[in-house]
């Protein structure tokens, strides 16, 4: 039987070993990314799928953000992106009046994002697979502009066994906010997407989490039950009772919120963040 080392031998052996030199990775800029590094992750900025440069000049970016604040414009642009060969304004969305559609098409031309290819037809100058990247760009920008967050869209966090990027991460007051954004209607949401979302939340452990669906439809019909079912499963069957904050803004826990776009997407996001931060604050 091997004799145990003495305390002196253990100390001498440990003192003789040179520690491995840590890999010197460049520290990312911005508090949001650095909070991910402190969680043991190696985040990287992914390239957003946008029909315009991500570093859009400020004047045009501001005008585009103002337009994106209108749900009707987001519906229009979502449809226009899919009509890659060109479109008549009324083809982009069946939910808008013809005058609205024409005005939005002309706005895209004025911003340099579309061209008029005939008297009644337009075409986007850039391409994107879908509206998701634009939604991420808009929300991250507005979190910075309206609420003073250090916010980034499209962040790869390279966690073993956890897929997908972080749509938007934001930092302020020493708190990390994570937003999962869905640009498709609720009917397209799949169980696998919800499970992957909770995998990312479990790995990241943000202070406040928002599951945001850019829709005016009720979340309580499909989205909320799916989130509740997945959360209950992960809690070993413990009952989860969502609390309605206002309209279709729901608190599943004091730190997890489901948000839709009615009446104002960014106002709803701001309210959810406010609720989450208040829940973290000490009571009197």
């Amino acid at each position: 039987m091997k004799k145990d080392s003495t305390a002196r031998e253990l100390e001498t052996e440990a003192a003789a070993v040179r520690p491995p030199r840590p890999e010197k990775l460049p520290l990312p800029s911005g508090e949001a990314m650095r909070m991910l590094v402190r969680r043991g992750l190696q985040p990287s900025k992914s390239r957003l799928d946008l029909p315009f440069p991500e570093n859009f000049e400020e004047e045009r970016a501001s005008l585009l953000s103002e337009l994106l604040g209108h749900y009707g414009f987001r519906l229009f642009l979502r449809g226009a992106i899919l009509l890659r060969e060109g479109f008549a304004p009324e083809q982009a969305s069946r939910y808008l009046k013809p005058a609205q559609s024409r005005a939005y098409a002309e706005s895209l031309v004025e911003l340099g994002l579309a061209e008029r290819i005939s008297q009644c037809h337009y075409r986007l100058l850039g391409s994107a697979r879908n509206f998701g990247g634009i939604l991420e760009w808009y929300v991250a920008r507005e979190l910075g502009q309206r609420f003073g967050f250090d916010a980034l869209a499209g962040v790869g966090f390279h966690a073993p066994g956890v897929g997908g990027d972080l749509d938007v991460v934001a930092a302020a007051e020493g708190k990390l906010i994570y937003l999962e954004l869905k640009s498709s209607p609720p009917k397209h949401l799949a169980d696998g997407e919800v499970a992957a979302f909770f995998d990312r939340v479990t790995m990241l452990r943000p202070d406040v989490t928002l599951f945001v669906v850019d829709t005016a439809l009720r979340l309580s019909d499909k989205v909320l039950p799916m989130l509740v079912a997945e959360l209950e499963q992960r809690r070993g069957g413990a009952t989860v009772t969502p609390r309605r904050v206002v309209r279709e803004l729901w608190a599943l826990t004091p730190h997890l919120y489901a948000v839709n776009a009615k009446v104002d997407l960014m106002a709803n996001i701001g309210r959810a963040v406010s609720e989450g931060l208040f829940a973290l604050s000490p009571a009197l």
Side-chain angles (χ1 to χ4, degrees):
M1 183 175 179
K2 185 178 178 181
K3 184 180 178 181
D4 291 340
S5 300
T6 65
R8 180 185 180 88
E9 289 170 337
L10 289 172
E11 295 283 25
T12 301
E13 180 183 355
V17 175
R18 297 187 64 179
R21 299 185 66 179
E23 185 180 3
K24 291 187 177 181
L25 298 173
L27 191 64
S29 61
E31 181 60 11
M33 292 287 270
R34 292 179 178 185
M35 290 186 84
L36 300 186
V37 171
R38 296 184 196 111
R39 283 163 165 76
L41 303 171
Q42 296 181 5
S44 63
K45 181 71 177 68
S46 302
R47 183 177 180 274
L48 291 179
D49 181 28
L50 299 170
F52 53 85
E54 194 167 343
N55 58 347
F56 213 23
E57 63 185 69
E58 179 56 32
E59 183 178 356
R60 289 200 293 166
S62 179
L63 291 171
L64 178 58
S65 290
E66 184 177 345
L67 283 167
L68 287 168
H70 297 269
Y71 184 60
F73 180 75
R74 297 199 301 276
L75 288 176
F76 178 83
L77 187 52
R78 183 180 298 148
I81 285 172
L82 301 178
L83 299 169
R84 294 177 175 83
E85 301 303 317
F87 57 90
E90 61 272 15
Q91 290 178 305
S93 175
R94 67 179 187 270
Y95 302 112
L96 303 176
K97 295 178 180 178
Q100 279 182 291
S101 296
R102 287 193 297 272
Y104 287 149
E106 285 298 322
S107 295
L108 289 173
V109 173
E110 292 170 9
L111 281 169
L113 298 180
E115 62 179 350
R116 198 180 297 106
I117 56 178
S118 72
Q119 185 175 357
C120 299
H121 282 76
Y122 299 78
R123 180 171 54 213
L124 293 180
L125 294 174
S127 63
R129 292 189 303 275
N130 54 50
F131 185 70
I134 299 175
L135 183 63
E136 293 173 19
W137 176 87
Y138 167 66
V139 170
R141 176 183 167 83
E142 290 299 296
L143 284 171
Q145 295 282 328
R146 294 196 195 190
F147 304 110
F149 278 97
D150 173 51
L152 277 175
V155 176
F157 70 140
H158 313 294
V162 180
D165 287 351
L166 304 173
D167 291 341
V168 175
V169 290
E173 303 179 24
K175 303 294 188 292
L176 181 65
I177 316 296
Y178 165 45
L179 298 91
E180 177 90 1
L181 305 179
K182 298 298 180 185
S183 60
S184 298
K187 66 181 180 180
H188 296 305
L189 184 64
D191 291 332
E193 293 178 84
V194 174
F197 160 69
F198 276 102
D199 286 344
R200 289 188 285 274
V201 173
T202 300
M203 173 62 69
L204 187 61
R205 295 293 295 274
D207 296 285
V208 181
T209 301
L210 277 62
F211 190 92
V212 181
V213 187
D214 188 22
T215 181
L217 302 177
R218 291 187 300 268
L219 300 187
S220 51
D221 289 346
K222 179 181 179 181
V223 176
L224 192 64
M226 291 177 71
L227 293 171
V228 168
E230 183 67 25
L231 184 55
E232 287 181 339
Q233 180 181 336
R234 290 172 183 250
R235 289 184 164 188
T239 300
V240 173
T241 304
R243 174 177 65 88
R244 187 193 295 270
V245 178
V246 61
R247 294 186 297 274
E248 286 299 301
L249 169 55
W250 296 88
L252 285 88
T253 77
H255 316 295
L256 172 61
Y257 296 84
V259 180
N260 85 342
K262 191 177 181 179
V263 172
D264 183 327
L265 175 65
M266 286 310 305
N268 294 347
I269 287 174
R271 177 66 183 273
V273 169
S274 172
E275 290 278 329
L277 291 178
F278 268 116
L280 292 167
S281 302
L284 292 177

Coordinates of all heavy atoms in Angstrom, one line a residue, residues 154-205:
G154 N -26.8 40.0 -31.8 CA -26.1 38.9 -32.5 C -24.8 38.5 -31.9 O -23.7 38.8 -32.4
V155 N -24.9 37.9 -30.7 CA -23.7 37.6 -29.9 C -23.5 36.1 -29.9 O -24.4 35.4 -29.3 CB -23.7 38.2 -28.5 CG1 -22.5 37.7 -27.7 CG2 -23.8 39.7 -28.6
G156 N -22.4 35.5 -30.4 CA -22.1 34.1 -30.2 C -21.5 33.9 -28.9 O -20.6 34.7 -28.5
F157 N -21.9 32.9 -28.1 CA -21.3 32.7 -26.8 C -20.6 31.4 -26.6 O -20.0 31.1 -25.6 CB -22.3 33.1 -25.7 CG -23.4 32.1 -25.5 CD1 -23.8 31.7 -24.2 CD2 -24.1 31.5 -26.5 CE1 -24.8 30.8 -24.0 CE2 -25.1 30.7 -26.4 CZ -25.5 30.3 -25.1
H158 N -20.7 30.5 -27.6 CA -19.8 29.3 -27.8 C -19.8 28.5 -26.5 O -18.8 28.1 -26.0 CB -18.4 29.8 -28.1 CG -18.3 30.7 -29.2 ND1 -18.7 30.4 -30.5 CD2 -18.0 32.1 -29.3 CE1 -18.5 31.5 -31.3 NE2 -18.1 32.5 -30.6
A159 N -21.0 28.3 -25.9 CA -21.1 27.4 -24.8 C -21.3 25.9 -25.2 O -22.1 25.6 -26.0 CB -22.3 27.8 -23.9
P160 N -20.5 25.0 -24.6 CA -20.6 23.6 -25.0 C -22.0 23.1 -24.8 O -22.6 23.2 -23.8 CB -19.6 22.9 -24.1 CG -18.6 24.0 -23.7 CD -19.5 25.3 -23.6
G161 N -22.5 22.4 -25.9 CA -23.8 21.8 -25.8 C -25.0 22.7 -25.8 O -26.1 22.3 -25.7
V162 N -24.8 24.0 -26.1 CA -25.9 25.0 -26.1 C -25.8 25.7 -27.5 O -24.8 26.3 -27.8 CB -25.8 26.0 -25.0 CG1 -27.0 27.0 -25.1 CG2 -25.8 25.3 -23.7
G163 N -26.8 25.5 -28.3 CA -26.8 26.1 -29.6 C -27.4 27.5 -29.7 O -28.1 28.0 -28.8
G164 N -27.1 28.1 -30.9 CA -27.7 29.4 -31.1 C -26.9 30.6 -30.6 O -26.1 30.5 -29.6
D165 N -27.2 31.8 -31.2 CA -26.6 33.0 -30.7 C -27.5 33.7 -29.7 O -28.7 33.3 -29.5 CB -26.3 34.0 -31.8 CG -25.2 33.5 -32.7 OD1 -24.4 32.6 -32.3 OD2 -25.0 34.1 -33.8
L166 N -27.0 34.6 -29.0 CA -27.8 35.5 -28.1 C -28.3 36.7 -29.0 O -27.5 37.4 -29.5 CB -27.0 36.0 -26.9 CG -26.3 34.9 -26.1 CD1 -25.4 35.6 -25.0 CD2 -27.4 34.0 -25.4
D167 N -29.6 36.8 -29.1 CA -30.1 37.8 -30.0 C -29.7 39.2 -29.6 O -29.2 40.0 -30.4 CB -31.7 37.7 -30.1 CG -32.1 36.5 -30.8 OD1 -31.3 35.9 -31.5 OD2 -33.3 36.1 -30.6
V168 N -30.0 39.5 -28.3 CA -29.6 40.8 -27.8 C -29.2 40.7 -26.3 O -29.9 40.0 -25.6 CB -30.7 41.9 -27.9 CG1 -30.3 43.2 -27.2 CG2 -31.1 42.2 -29.3
V169 N -28.0 41.2 -26.0 CA -27.6 41.3 -24.6 C -27.4 42.7 -24.3 O -26.9 43.5 -25.1 CB -26.3 40.4 -24.3 CG1 -26.6 39.0 -24.4 CG2 -25.2 40.8 -25.2
A170 N -27.7 43.1 -23.0 CA -27.6 44.5 -22.6 C -27.1 44.6 -21.2 O -27.5 43.7 -20.4 CB -28.9 45.2 -22.8
A171 N -26.3 45.6 -20.8 CA -25.8 45.7 -19.5 C -26.0 47.1 -19.0 O -25.8 48.1 -19.7 CB -24.3 45.3 -19.4
A172 N -26.4 47.3 -17.7 CA -26.5 48.5 -17.0 C -26.7 48.3 -15.6 O -27.2 47.2 -15.2 CB -27.6 49.4 -17.6
E173 N -26.2 49.2 -14.7 CA -26.4 49.0 -13.3 C -25.8 47.7 -12.7 O -26.3 47.2 -11.7 CB -27.8 49.2 -12.9 CG -28.5 50.5 -13.3 CD -30.0 50.5 -12.9 OE1 -30.4 49.9 -12.0 OE2 -30.7 51.3 -13.6
G174 N -24.8 47.2 -13.4 CA -24.2 45.9 -13.0 C -25.1 44.7 -13.2 O -24.9 43.6 -12.7
K175 N -26.2 44.9 -14.1 CA -27.1 43.8 -14.4 C -27.0 43.4 -15.8 O -26.8 44.3 -16.7 CB -28.5 44.2 -14.0 CG -28.7 44.7 -12.6 CD -28.6 43.5 -11.6 CE -28.9 43.9 -10.2 NZ -28.0 44.9 -9.6
L176 N -27.2 42.1 -16.1 CA -27.2 41.6 -17.5 C -28.6 41.3 -17.9 O -29.3 40.5 -17.2 CB -26.3 40.4 -17.5 CG -26.2 39.7 -18.9 CD1 -25.4 40.7 -19.9 CD2 -25.4 38.4 -18.8
I177 N -29.0 41.8 -19.0 CA -30.3 41.6 -19.6 C -30.2 40.8 -20.9 O -29.3 41.1 -21.7 CB -31.1 42.9 -19.9 CG1 -30.9 43.9 -18.8 CG2 -32.5 42.6 -20.3 CD1 -31.5 43.5 -17.5
Y178 N -31.0 39.7 -21.0 CA -30.9 38.9 -22.3 C -32.3 38.9 -22.9 O -33.3 38.7 -22.2 CB -30.5 37.5 -21.9 CG -30.8 36.5 -23.0 CD1 -30.5 36.7 -24.3 CD2 -31.3 35.2 -22.7 CE1 -30.7 35.8 -25.3 CE2 -31.6 34.3 -23.7 CZ -31.3 34.5 -25.0 OH -31.5 33.6 -25.9
L179 N -32.3 39.2 -24.2 CA -33.6 39.3 -24.9 C -33.5 38.3 -26.1 O -32.6 38.3 -26.9 CB -33.9 40.7 -25.5 CG -34.0 41.8 -24.5 CD1 -32.7 42.5 -24.3 CD2 -35.0 42.8 -25.0
E180 N -34.5 37.4 -26.1 CA -34.7 36.5 -27.2 C -35.8 37.1 -28.1 O -36.9 37.4 -27.6 CB -35.2 35.1 -26.7 CG -35.5 34.1 -27.8 CD -34.3 33.3 -28.3 OE1 -33.2 33.4 -27.7 OE2 -34.5 32.4 -29.1
L181 N -35.5 37.3 -29.4 CA -36.5 38.0 -30.2 C -37.0 37.0 -31.3 O -36.2 36.3 -31.9 CB -35.8 39.2 -30.9 CG -35.1 40.2 -30.0 CD1 -34.5 41.3 -30.8 CD2 -36.1 40.8 -29.0
K182 N -38.3 37.1 -31.5 CA -39.0 36.3 -32.5 C -39.7 37.2 -33.5 O -40.6 38.0 -33.1 CB -40.0 35.3 -31.9 CG -39.3 34.3 -31.0 CD -38.3 33.4 -31.7 CE -37.7 32.4 -30.8 NZ -36.6 31.6 -31.5
S183 N -39.3 37.2 -34.8 CA -39.9 38.1 -35.7 C -41.1 37.4 -36.5 O -41.8 38.1 -37.2 CB -38.9 38.6 -36.7 OG -38.3 37.5 -37.4
S184 N -41.2 36.1 -36.3 CA -42.3 35.4 -37.0 C -43.6 35.3 -36.2 O -43.5 35.4 -34.9 CB -41.9 33.9 -37.4 OG -40.7 33.9 -38.2
P185 N -44.7 35.1 -36.8 CA -46.0 35.0 -36.0 C -45.9 33.8 -35.0 O -45.2 32.9 -35.2 CB -47.0 34.8 -37.1 CG -46.4 35.3 -38.3 CD -45.0 35.1 -38.2
P186 N -46.7 33.9 -33.9 CA -46.6 32.9 -32.9 C -46.9 31.5 -33.4 O -46.4 30.5 -32.9 CB -47.7 33.3 -31.9 CG -47.8 34.8 -32.1 CD -47.5 35.0 -33.5
K187 N -47.7 31.3 -34.5 CA -48.0 30.0 -35.0 C -46.8 29.2 -35.5 O -46.8 28.0 -35.6 CB -49.0 30.1 -36.1 CG -48.5 30.7 -37.4 CD -49.6 30.8 -38.5 CE -49.1 31.5 -39.7 NZ -50.2 31.5 -40.8
H188 N -45.7 29.9 -35.8 CA -44.5 29.3 -36.2 C -43.5 28.9 -35.1 O -42.5 28.2 -35.4 CB -43.7 30.2 -37.2 CG -44.5 30.5 -38.5 ND1 -45.0 29.6 -39.3 CD2 -44.8 31.7 -39.0 CE1 -45.6 30.1 -40.3 NE2 -45.5 31.5 -40.2
L189 N -43.8 29.2 -33.9 CA -43.0 28.9 -32.8 C -43.0 27.4 -32.5 O -44.1 26.8 -32.4 CB -43.4 29.7 -31.5 CG -42.5 29.5 -30.3 CD1 -41.1 30.0 -30.5 CD2 -43.1 30.2 -29.1
A190 N -41.8 26.8 -32.4 CA -41.7 25.3 -32.2 C -41.2 25.0 -30.8 O -40.5 25.8 -30.2 CB -40.8 24.7 -33.3
D191 N -41.6 23.8 -30.3 CA -41.1 23.4 -29.0 C -39.6 23.4 -28.9 O -39.0 23.8 -27.8 CB -41.6 22.0 -28.7 CG -43.1 21.9 -28.5 OD1 -43.7 23.0 -28.1 OD2 -43.7 20.9 -28.8
G192 N -38.9 23.0 -29.9 CA -37.4 23.0 -29.9 C -36.8 24.4 -29.7 O -35.8 24.5 -29.0
E193 N -37.5 25.4 -30.3 CA -37.0 26.8 -30.1 C -37.1 27.2 -28.6 O -36.2 27.9 -28.1 CB -37.8 27.7 -31.0 CG -37.6 27.6 -32.5 CD -38.4 28.5 -33.2 OE1 -38.0 29.7 -33.4 OE2 -39.5 28.1 -33.7
V194 N -38.2 26.8 -28.0 CA -38.5 27.2 -26.6 C -37.4 26.5 -25.7 O -36.9 27.1 -24.8 CB -39.9 26.9 -26.2 CG1 -40.1 27.1 -24.7 CG2 -40.9 27.7 -27.0
A195 N -37.2 25.2 -26.0 CA -36.2 24.4 -25.2 C -34.8 25.0 -25.3 O -34.1 25.2 -24.4 CB -36.2 23.0 -25.6
A196 N -34.5 25.4 -26.6 CA -33.1 26.0 -26.8 C -33.0 27.3 -26.1 O -31.9 27.7 -25.6 CB -32.9 26.2 -28.3
F197 N -34.1 28.1 -26.1 CA -34.1 29.4 -25.3 C -33.8 29.1 -23.9 O -32.9 29.8 -23.3 CB -35.4 30.1 -25.5 CG -35.7 31.1 -24.5 CD1 -35.0 32.3 -24.4 CD2 -36.8 30.9 -23.6 CE1 -35.3 33.3 -23.5 CE2 -37.1 31.9 -22.6 CZ -36.4 33.0 -22.6
F198 N -34.5 28.2 -23.3 CA -34.2 27.9 -21.8 C -32.8 27.4 -21.6 O -32.2 27.6 -20.5 CB -35.3 27.0 -21.3 CG -36.6 27.7 -20.9 CD1 -37.7 27.7 -21.7 CD2 -36.6 28.4 -19.7 CE1 -38.8 28.4 -21.3 CE2 -37.8 29.1 -19.3 CZ -38.9 29.1 -20.1
D199 N -32.3 26.6 -22.6 CA -30.9 26.1 -22.4 C -29.9 27.3 -22.3 O -29.0 27.3 -21.5 CB -30.5 25.3 -23.6 CG -31.1 23.9 -23.6 OD1 -31.6 23.5 -22.5 OD2 -31.2 23.2 -24.7
R200 N -30.2 28.3 -23.2 CA -29.3 29.5 -23.2 C -29.5 30.3 -21.9 O -28.5 30.8 -21.3 CB -29.6 30.4 -24.4 CG -29.2 29.8 -25.7 CD -29.3 30.8 -26.9 NE -30.7 30.9 -27.3 CZ -31.3 30.2 -28.2 NH1 -30.6 29.1 -28.7 NH2 -32.5 30.4 -28.6
V201 N -30.7 30.4 -21.4 CA -30.9 31.1 -20.1 C -30.2 30.4 -19.0 O -29.6 31.0 -18.1 CB -32.4 31.3 -19.9 CG1 -32.7 31.9 -18.5 CG2 -33.1 32.1 -20.9
T202 N -30.3 29.1 -19.0 CA -29.7 28.3 -17.9 C -28.2 28.5 -17.9 O -27.5 28.6 -16.9 CB -30.1 26.8 -18.1 OG1 -31.5 26.7 -18.0 CG2 -29.4 26.0 -17.0
M203 N -27.6 28.5 -19.1 CA -26.1 28.7 -19.2 C -25.7 30.1 -18.9 O -24.7 30.3 -18.2 CB -25.7 28.3 -20.6 CG -24.2 28.6 -20.9 SD -23.1 27.6 -19.9 CE -23.4 26.0 -20.6
L204 N -26.5 31.1 -19.3 CA -26.1 32.5 -19.2 C -26.4 33.0 -17.8 O -25.6 33.8 -17.3 CB -26.8 33.3 -20.2 CG -26.4 34.7 -20.4 CD1 -24.9 34.9 -20.8 CD2 -27.3 35.4 -21.5
R205 N -27.5 32.6 -17.2 CA -27.9 33.1 -15.9 C -28.0 34.7 -15.9 O -27.4 35.3 -15.0 CB -27.0 32.6 -14.8 CG -27.1 31.1 -14.6 CD -28.4 30.6 -14.0 NE -28.7 31.2 -12.7 CZ -28.3 30.6 -11.6 NH1 -27.6 29.5 -11.6 NH2 -28.6 31.1 -10.4

